[in-house]
Amino acid sequence: MSALPLPEQFRIFAQGAARDGATTYDVICRGMADDPDMLALIAEAPLRQRRPNLLLAAVHFLLLAGARHPLAAYYDTVQSIAGGPPGAPGGDLVAEFKDFCLTHRAELLALIAVRSTQTNEIGRCTALLPALNVIAAGDPEGQPLSLLDLGTSAGLNLLFDSYGYTYRQRTDGAVLPAGRPDAKVHLECTVRGLLGDLPPLSLPPIARRMGIDATPIDPTSDDGAHWLLACLWPDNLDRFTRLHEALAVARTTSTPPEVYRGDIVDELPAVVERIAPSSPLVVFHSWVAAYLSPERQRELVDTVRELARGRTLHYLYAESPVETPGLPTPPSPSPRPTSHLATALVHLPADGSPPVRLADMHHHGNWLQWWATAPDPTVRPGEPEPAPRPR
Ligand SMILES: C[S@@+](CC[C@H](N)C(=O)[O-])C[C@H]1O[C@@H](n2cnc3c(N)ncnc32)[C@H](O)[C@@H]1O
C-alpha cells in the first residue's frame, strides 16, 4: 500500500509512464489525478488495493476479455488481439477511460478488491539458458536436471526449452542462434562483450519442472492468461506479443510445470522433498527476492543451503542487488553505476564453493554481459588448461 494520496500516486505513475514512452497510461493517469468521480470510485476499494496500476490492469483485463467500448481503439494490445488497426484514434482518451470505468464500475471494483498485479517475463530465459548450460556442463554423468522456480508466476520460464533464441553481439551485430529453431516464441538478447564469452547454448535435458508461487497463475485458463497480459502496458506491443505467444505454448506443452501455491521460504523444504534425491536439482528465482525483507532473503538462502547439504542442489538467481541486500551477490566487475533495475545472475554451485556472479543482465533479459567462463566439459581435472575459445 502506498502512503501517498491517490492524486499524487496517479501523477507519479504518469511521470514513470512518460519516461518509458508509455503515452496511453501517461495521458490516462494525468487525467485521473484530479477527477473527483474517478477518485471516488477507487476510494470504494479496500485501502491497500487503491493503486493506479491495479485500476489500469483491471480495465485492460476487461477489454482483453472482450468488453466492447470505444476505449478499446486506444489500446494497441487489444487491437492486436481483435485484429484492429494499432494507433490512437484521435478522440478524447481520458473521457473514454472514465466512461469505461463508470460503465463497468462493479466489475472493476470486484477485480481490484482481490487481485494483485503480476508479471512473468520470459525474456529472462536468455540468461537462464546459458546458466543451466554451465550447471549441466559441470555434471560428468550428464543427468537430466530437475528445476524448481521460486515465485514462478505462470511457470513460463520453466518452459525455456520451448523457445528460440538469438544472441546478438552488440559491437558488430554478429548472431548466435540457440534453442528450438522451430519455436513459436523467439527471444532476442544483445550480448555486451563477445559472443565467445558465453557458455555453450544447448538445451539440457530436464527431468522435472516445478514452481512455487503465492498467487500462481494458470496460463491455460482465459482468466489467468488475460490477467497476466493485462498487467503489461498497452503501448508495448513487442512485450505483449511475446507473452501472448508464450501463453499459447503453455496451453499446448506436453511438459506442464507442477506449481504449488504458498510462500517460497515456507514451502521450499516440502516441495524439494517431492523430488528424487538422485536428480540434480536447480532451485532458481528471478525478480522475486525483492518482494522479501532482507531478513527473509537471508532465511531463503539459509533454507536453500540447508537443503543442499543432503543432495546435489544448485542455487541460481537473477535479482537486483540493490533490492536484495540479504542475498550473497558478489560485486560486479563492471565499473558502471548500478540502478535498482540492474540485475545480477548468480550461481551458488552444488559443491558448496563460493557464489559466482555469472552475468549482469537487463531486468527483462534484453541484454546480457557474461562474466564467468564456463567450465569446458571436455577437460578433466588435472588436464592442462584448454586454449582460449575462438571469439
Ligand atoms: C515480478 S514476479 C516474477 C515472476 C517470475 N519469476 C519472472 O521472472 O517472470 C514476482 C512473483 O513472485 C511471487 N511472489 C512474491 N513474493 C512471494 C513469496 N513470498 N512467496 C511466493 N511467491 C511470491 C509473486 O506472486 C509473483 O508471481
Side-chain angles (χ1 to χ4, degrees):
M1 186 184 74
S2 169
L4 292 172
L6 262 174
E8 193 60 14
Q9 287 192 51
F10 272 113
R11 272 189 275 275
I12 290 172
F13 198 97
Q15 285 162 9
R19 253 197 323 272
D20 287 354
T23 321
T24 309
Y25 279 178
D26 171 26
V27 172
I28 289 173
C29 288
R30 277 189 285 119
M32 296 302 104
D34 297 305
D35 188 302
D37 296 331
M38 288 303 301
L39 297 176
L41 185 153
I42 303 180
E44 286 182 44
L47 191 57
R48 56 180 299 117
Q49 300 289 88
R50 292 177 199 165
R51 288 187 281 114
N53 60 352
L54 254 182
L55 171 72
L56 293 164
V59 169
H60 199 185
F61 175 80
L62 292 181
L63 288 171
L64 290 170
R68 291 184 164 274
H69 191 278
L71 178 65
Y74 293 84
Y75 283 57
D76 290 350
T77 48
V78 178
Q79 291 305 304
S80 77
I81 283 191
D92 186 341
L93 168 58
V94 173
E96 296 294 7
F97 186 85
K98 180 173 173 181
D99 184 71
F100 184 93
C101 291
L102 297 180
T103 308
H104 292 275
R105 182 185 202 104
E107 291 155 276
L108 288 173
L109 283 169
L111 286 167
I112 293 169
V114 296
R115 303 263 177 154
S116 52
T117 50
Q118 197 150 1
T119 53
N120 198 177
E121 182 46 70
I122 56 163
R124 296 181 185 130
C125 290
T126 59
L128 184 59
L129 177 67
L132 290 179
N133 270 273
V134 168
I135 290 171
D139 177 4
E141 290 167 36
Q143 296 178 81
L145 302 171
S146 290
L147 304 181
L148 174 53
D149 182 11
L150 307 181
T152 194
S153 189
L156 300 179
N157 290 345
L158 287 161
L159 302 177
F160 75 98
D161 48 353
S162 302
Y163 310 145
Y165 298 80
T166 299
Y167 292 86
R168 197 177 302 278
Q169 190 161 270
R170 184 171 62 163
T171 46
D172 61 0
V175 295
L176 181 62
R180 299 243 328 234
D182 58 343
K184 300 214 165 51
V185 176
H186 203 89
L187 305 173
E188 291 260 345
C189 178
T190 299
V191 174
R192 298 183 171 181
L194 300 169
L195 289 176
D197 293 337
L198 294 175
L201 297 173
S202 57
L203 295 177
I206 302 301
R208 276 183 92 166
R209 298 159 205 265
M210 304 172 89
I212 304 175
D213 201 283
T215 53
I217 293 235
D218 176 2
T220 66
S221 76
D222 284 346
D223 183 89
H226 285 149
W227 184 251
L228 211 50
L229 288 164
C231 293
L232 299 184
W233 294 7
D235 298 324
N236 192 339
L237 207 46
D238 285 346
R239 202 175 166 209
F240 181 87
T241 305
R242 200 166 66 176
L243 178 60
H244 195 245
E245 289 166 349
L247 287 163
V249 169
R251 271 176 201 262
T252 53
T253 180
S254 57
T255 56
E258 303 156 54
V259 176
Y260 296 89
R261 182 183 291 270
D263 179 86
I264 54 172
V265 185
D266 296 341
E267 293 303 316
L268 183 55
V271 175
V272 166
E273 204 154 280
R274 293 169 181 265
I275 303 165
S278 55
S279 177
L281 172 62
V282 184
V283 173
F284 70 97
H285 51 83
S286 51
W287 275 89
V288 173
Y291 292 78
L292 310 180
S293 66
E295 183 49 40
R296 199 68 173 147
Q297 292 165 8
R298 280 187 278 275
E299 278 180 50
L300 172 61
V301 178
D302 290 347
T303 307
V304 173
R305 284 192 162 133
E306 186 57 38
L307 290 165
R309 286 184 211 282
R311 59 179 306 144
T312 303
L313 188 158
H314 292 266
Y315 181 31
L316 184 68
Y317 60 82
E319 300 284 350
S320 155
V322 175
E323 304 276 345
T324 57
L327 300 184
T329 305
S332 173
S334 167
R336 290 168 206 268
T338 89
S339 79
H340 81 105
L341 287 178
T343 303
L345 178 69
V346 176
H347 175 210
L348 274 69
D351 62 8
S353 52
V356 181
R357 187 163 178 144
L358 295 176
D360 283 5
M361 59 182 280
H362 181 266
H363 60 292
H364 292 159
N366 296 0
W367 60 259
L368 189 65
Q369 164 90 59
W370 198 264
W371 302 120
T373 311
D376 184 336
T378 61
V379 177
R380 295 199 174 77
E383 282 183 342
E385 283 284 305
R389 278 185 288 149
R391 308 216 136 161

